[in-house]
Amino acid sequence: MDHLTYARAQMGFSLAFHMLFAAVGVALPLFMVIADVLFRRTGDRDWLEFSKRMAKGTAILFAVGAVSGTALSFELGLLWPNFMGTFGDIIGLPFAMEGFAFFTEAIFLGIYLYGRGRIPGGLHLAAGVGVALSGAVSAFFVTLVNATMNLPRGFDMVNGHPTNIDPLAAMFSVPWKHETLHALLACYQATAFALAGIHAAVLLRHPKSSLFRKAFAVSLAVASVTALLQPISGDHSAHSIAESEPLKLAAAEAHFKTQTHAPLHIGGIPDVNAGEVHYGIEIPSGLSLLATHDPAAEVKGLNDFPREDWPPVAKTHYAFEVMVGAGSAMALLAVVAGFLAWRKKGLPDSRLFLWAVVASGPLGFIALEAGWLVTELGRQPWIMHGVMRTRDAVTPFPQLLPPFWTFTFLYLFLGVTVVYLLFRQLRAAPIEAAPPSVGGSDAHH
Amino acid sequence: MPTTELLLGGVMMAALCLYAVFGGADFGGGVWDLFASGPRKAEQRALIEKAIGPIWEANHVWLILAIVILFAAFPTAYSAISIALHIPLTLFVVGVVFRGSAFTFRAYDDRNDRRQQRWGLLFSLASVVAPILLGVLAGTVASGEIHVVAGVVTSGYVAPWLAPFPIFVGLFALALFAYQAAVFLTAEADAAGAAELTSDFRQRALIAGALVGAVALVTFGLSFGAAPRISAGLTERPWTWPLHLATAAAATTAFSALWKRRFAVARFAVVAQTVLILLGWAASQYPYLLVPSHTLSSAAANPRTQGLLLIAIAAGSVLLFPSLYVLYRVFKGERPFRVLDRSKE
């Protein structure tokens, strides 16, 4: 790999890793608070136990999210000093606000985790709400930075330096609405699907456990609602991108030629040199319909843009397909869940359905990572679209191989440890209505 | 009315001071975890874990704030520092990641001794390494050995920081953090009525305090050759003298109060000492942010961003300080920074 590739790989790997923890750190507190509210309402100790478990998970994941986030605030400069030196004061404002929101989250989390039973219940719940809210707010601000990089606004470039800077216009660049909505929903959706999958797996072994039935019900409910909302948000994003980032849309859809009645390619292998998509399913006028809600509309293709500005078409397209595919599967599961719940007037818990939920457990995170790849790959070869190329932002530091491997091993180690610890927490479960021998066999699972 | 860049520099310095006091004490706790010894080894570690468990994440965020203000308000300085100090910054980040994650993993992993020891070792080693690197970074920035010509770093990637002066600043940071932590832990053990544990940490604090003084002398001596601007700032400017006198007074008070077992006074004085040392550094280096290429004003962001940053910081503080107050009130007693008797749990 060359210099630039190492830098991109380290950044990409760090972000991909951090994102998992950050997303869970945003969403898990919501479950923690829901369970707390239900416990206060009903007095059912299952809810208390569920809340405590969510809190433990939050504690572990938040700590890793906090340190990997710190690492990122340094890596931005370590890998892209020219980008940070030139645009630091343009993207700095939302980062500073994210810093404060994150700080508040850390404080409330400390109060919440260590304050149970020591501070009044109302204050404890308020701290939990504070964690959930500030987590969402910090995700909101950090996504604004991405919106600015995708469509830089609020300044003019004069001799390679931004001038006439309007930091607020830069902070709320056009994509901000759809990006923040899509990203926040994705955090809740990904976490909810993972939780639903885990609890479905436990229910397959201990179908009568009242604790896990409750945990499963809440996760499935959040998963279903977000899975149905996300396609609407995605449609809104597609619309917005068609207008403001046509090149990204063209790459994501592997749409080579500008045309009316543009077809939609599902699957297939983009051939960049020939400007065609092989083996895919082609839906006539599909892309025009998706991008503008008008089947006859013209959609700009890659051929309208200089070749040197093209993103890596195939990779962007595959990432997009993975995101849409996973999203569609999750939406389908949500519809099935709703139908089963309606027919049964209760929690759907047939073994087949539980297995389906287990299988879709990772889909939310797959879609989250794939969606992030779409927006990042789709912006290449620019770090700040149209203004600074990624290769011009990279550090002159000559030896990027050692830091790349250092961070890669560091994050792999952390990832493996966290997964192990989370499973340990799950196993430490008191499982009601399950014979002890079954609980014992869990230890080998 | 001070300029906006001076205000932002001040806020960044304040965040660094708070990080040195609170985050520094957490690192110091890790140091004493490593050096836990004697018949009360386990109790010492338990006290450390209790003292930093609920608050280290919040304490840690001061660093993030300082960095974010650095790159938002002084982007070119952040960029130059990131290039020139790539290696120690990477090592520092690795230390920070291991410290935080190992501490958390220890709390949530199996209570079996060997596992706990492994996490504990990782946590405490990282707590030793990270402060040294933090000091190395500060020492190099102050030394004037990083040269930037027309936006290009020309002084290489190793020589400026792998030198006696930055390394001694690193050792100084380590000693200072360990000293602070020992004083805090002495006071917490005393308030909990654990007499033997109190004398354990008092003894450690006295040793660390003496080390702080010794390393400070060597560092100061080295600064004449290695960091002329710092030594000139420390000695030649009339307005830095009151600062040094105050630092000396705080240091003497802290040490003698510790000796006389007046731990509440010692804790207050050691905090004052740390803050004054950092302010002394800032005052000596002023107006340089990165000596000698970037001053506060030459590295400053555009004025509108600066203004908005200050507004954001003010608004954020309204949210931040009351919640911090609640956190400390819950875990450190009725008044912030006073120790809650946690032995009653």
Side-chain angles (χ1 to χ4, degrees):
Chain A
M1 292 201 290
D2 65 357
H3 189 72
L4 178 61
T5 314
Y6 272 119
R8 289 183 61 202
Q10 181 181 331
M11 198 68 201
F13 199 70
S14 303
L15 276 169
F17 177 86
H18 173 70
M19 197 178 311
L20 298 175
F21 294 87
V24 179
V26 168
L28 221 44
L30 177 71
F31 292 92
M32 193 170 91
V33 169
I34 292 176
D36 265 344
V37 170
L38 289 169
F39 172 60
R40 285 166 71 88
R41 284 250 174 106
T42 64
D44 185 336
R45 298 196 68 80
D46 279 349
W47 290 120
L48 180 64
E49 175 68 22
F50 180 46
S51 168
K52 284 184 174 170
R53 284 155 169 272
M54 292 299 102
K56 273 187 184 168
T58 306
I60 297 172
L61 293 159
F62 183 83
V64 179
V67 292
S68 59
T70 310
L72 277 170
S73 68
F74 284 96
E75 285 179 272
L76 283 171
L78 290 172
L79 297 170
W80 317 107
N82 197 21
F83 164 63
M84 294 305 288
T86 312
F87 300 107
D89 54 347
I90 288 169
I91 58 169
L93 202 56
F95 263 127
M97 294 183 181
E98 192 234 351
F100 274 98
F102 181 72
F103 209 149
T104 320
E105 189 180 0
I107 293 168
F108 284 135
L109 189 64
I111 297 174
Y112 183 88
L113 288 178
Y114 291 83
R116 201 190 285 277
R118 283 170 146 194
I119 57 172
L123 185 61
H124 185 252
L125 183 63
V129 173
V131 176
L133 276 180
S134 41
V137 170
S138 86
F140 171 83
F141 281 125
V142 90
T143 309
L144 290 184
V145 177
N146 190 263
T148 305
M149 291 165 74
N150 284 335
L151 194 70
R153 284 292 179 272
F155 62 91
D156 304 316
M157 282 306 267
V158 177
N159 299 328
H161 289 284
T163 42
N164 299 327
I165 296 171
D166 178 352
L168 286 178
M171 185 162 147
F172 293 101
S173 171
V174 181
W176 79 271
K177 281 185 203 152
H178 76 253
E179 280 203 28
T180 52
L181 180 68
H182 205 57
L184 268 171
L185 263 179
C187 292
Y188 296 113
Q189 185 181 2
T191 309
F193 267 86
L195 278 178
I198 292 167
H199 287 122
V202 180
L203 281 187
L204 281 167
R205 283 176 161 263
H206 311 285
K208 298 250 152 38
S209 160
S210 69
L211 166 64
F212 287 113
R213 288 182 68 85
K214 292 189 179 79
F216 179 63
V218 171
S219 351
L220 186 65
V222 177
S224 302
V225 171
T226 49
L228 294 175
L229 289 177
Q230 193 64 299
I232 303 172
S233 143
D235 177 63
H236 173 53
S237 298
H239 248 75
S240 172
I241 290 173
E243 232 175 80
S244 59
E245 299 170 70
L247 180 53
K248 180 177 282 176
L249 183 78
E253 302 281 11
H255 177 55
F256 287 99
K257 287 180 203 75
T258 301
Q259 63 185 102
T260 57
H261 298 280
L264 181 72
H265 295 285
I266 297 180
I269 300 167
D271 181 341
V272 178
N273 292 323
E276 289 169 4
V277 180
H278 300 305
Y279 314 116
I281 304 168
E282 198 176 294
I283 300 176
S285 304
L287 182 56
S288 295
L289 199 60
L290 270 183
T292 63
H293 290 187
D294 169 11
E298 184 184 84
V299 180
K300 274 197 172 186
L302 287 156
N303 64 339
D304 265 5
F305 302 90
R307 183 68 195 264
E308 70 202 35
D309 290 350
W310 286 16
V313 177
K315 285 179 194 160
T316 312
H317 179 63
Y318 295 144
F320 183 73
E321 298 281 285
V322 168
M323 176 186 78
V324 173
S328 309
M330 288 187 283
L332 180 67
L333 188 89
V335 171
V336 171
F339 174 73
L340 290 176
W342 168 76
R343 212 178 55 177
K344 199 188 150 193
K345 306 274 179 279
L347 183 66
D349 61 351
S350 69
R351 291 189 73 80
L352 186 64
F353 178 71
L354 288 179
W355 273 114
V357 179
V358 173
S360 54
L363 288 182
F365 282 109
I366 291 172
L368 179 80
E369 296 280 1
W372 163 71
L373 280 175
V374 173
T375 199
E376 293 299 296
L377 291 172
R379 191 188 56 243
Q380 300 304 321
W382 305 94
I383 192 166
M384 197 76 162
H385 194 261
V387 180
M388 182 184 274
R389 285 180 193 270
T390 312
R391 65 163 184 261
D392 297 327
V394 73
T395 181
F397 180 76
Q399 302 293 336
L400 287 182
L401 185 139
F404 168 75
W405 286 112
T406 306
F407 279 98
T408 301
F409 281 119
L410 186 66
Y411 286 147
L412 284 177
F413 167 74
L414 290 184
V416 169
T417 312
V418 166
V419 169
Y420 162 76
L421 285 180
L422 289 179
F423 270 96
R424 220 191 130 254
Q425 294 298 329
L426 193 72
R427 273 196 329 232
I431 295 163
E432 305 94 312
S437 61
V438 180
S441 72
D442 257 7
H444 307 291
H445 182 57
Chain B
M1 182 68 193
T3 57
T4 48
E5 63 253 27
L6 186 60
L7 281 174
L8 283 165
V11 173
M12 191 170 71
M13 205 56 217
L16 278 180
C17 284
L18 287 161
Y19 184 61
V21 169
F22 296 109
D26 294 342
F27 279 121
V31 175
W32 297 121
D33 187 288
L34 186 65
F35 291 119
S37 61
R40 286 170 297 282
K41 204 169 171 174
E43 286 89 336
Q44 290 168 9
R45 289 196 168 132
L47 181 69
I48 294 164
E49 183 160 352
K50 257 190 182 178
I52 67 182
I55 50 170
W56 76 266
E57 277 160 329
N59 292 342
H60 169 78
V61 188
W62 290 117
L63 175 70
I64 302 185
L65 273 194
I67 290 301
V68 168
I69 294 171
L70 177 64
F71 75 58
F74 308 102
T76 51
Y78 171 79
S79 169
I81 291 170
S82 298
I83 294 170
L85 296 174
H86 193 108
I87 298 169
L89 274 170
T90 300
L91 295 174
F92 172 67
V93 168
V94 171
V96 163
V97 169
F98 273 128
R99 193 282 301 250
S101 48
F103 180 75
T104 306
F105 294 165
R106 183 172 71 169
Y108 289 94
D109 201 349
D110 205 330
R111 284 285 146 185
N112 121 24
D113 278 347
R114 271 188 62 197
R115 286 262 181 90
Q116 290 284 311
Q117 269 173 17
R118 265 188 230 154
W119 288 129
L121 188 65
L122 191 57
F123 155 65
S124 53
L125 282 177
S127 300
V128 171
V129 172
I132 295 180
L133 286 159
L134 193 61
V136 166
L137 293 166
T140 319
V141 165
S143 70
E145 293 297 320
I146 296 176
H147 302 299
V148 183
V149 180
V152 178
V153 176
T154 56
S155 47
Y157 300 101
V158 176
W161 61 271
L162 200 63
F165 177 71
I167 290 171
F168 264 86
V169 177
L171 294 175
F172 178 69
L174 178 65
L176 187 66
F177 290 173
Y179 177 45
Q180 276 193 112
V183 173
F184 288 5
L185 289 164
T186 311
E188 303 216 357
D190 183 54
E196 291 173 319
L197 209 51
T198 309
S199 81
D200 283 357
F201 280 114
R202 177 173 169 269
Q203 192 191 26
R204 285 165 169 72
L206 288 169
I207 296 170
L211 269 174
V212 169
V215 180
L217 275 181
V218 178
T219 314
F220 181 61
L222 286 171
S223 72
F224 284 92
R229 207 166 299 266
I230 282 287
S231 58
L234 286 172
T235 54
E236 283 164 22
R237 288 188 194 156
W239 47 273
T240 52
W241 278 105
L243 209 52
H244 305 321
L245 287 177
T247 312
T252 319
T253 310
F255 203 78
S256 66
L258 193 62
W259 187 261
K260 292 183 201 148
R261 298 178 172 275
R262 295 176 59 196
F263 300 126
V265 179
R267 178 164 45 186
F268 179 80
V270 82
V271 169
Q273 181 184 350
T274 302
V275 171
L276 286 164
I277 288 170
L278 264 81
L279 291 181
W281 163 43
S284 318
Q285 189 177 312
Y286 179 84
Y288 290 96
L289 196 56
L290 173 60
V291 186
S293 54
H294 294 72
T295 61
L296 284 177
S297 56
S298 81
N302 75 86
R304 294 182 71 178
T305 300
Q306 288 185 47
L308 286 166
L309 268 175
L310 282 169
I311 292 170
I313 289 165
S317 305
V318 172
L319 197 67
L320 192 66
F321 284 101
S323 33
L324 256 187
Y325 178 83
V326 175
L327 179 69
Y328 276 90
R329 188 176 159 125
V330 171
F331 298 109
K332 300 280 170 187
E334 309 79 67
R335 282 188 281 140
F337 318 124
R338 281 221 29 194
V339 179
L340 181 73
D341 179 359
R342 298 216 214 87
S343 59
K344 285 185 206 139
E345 255 182 55

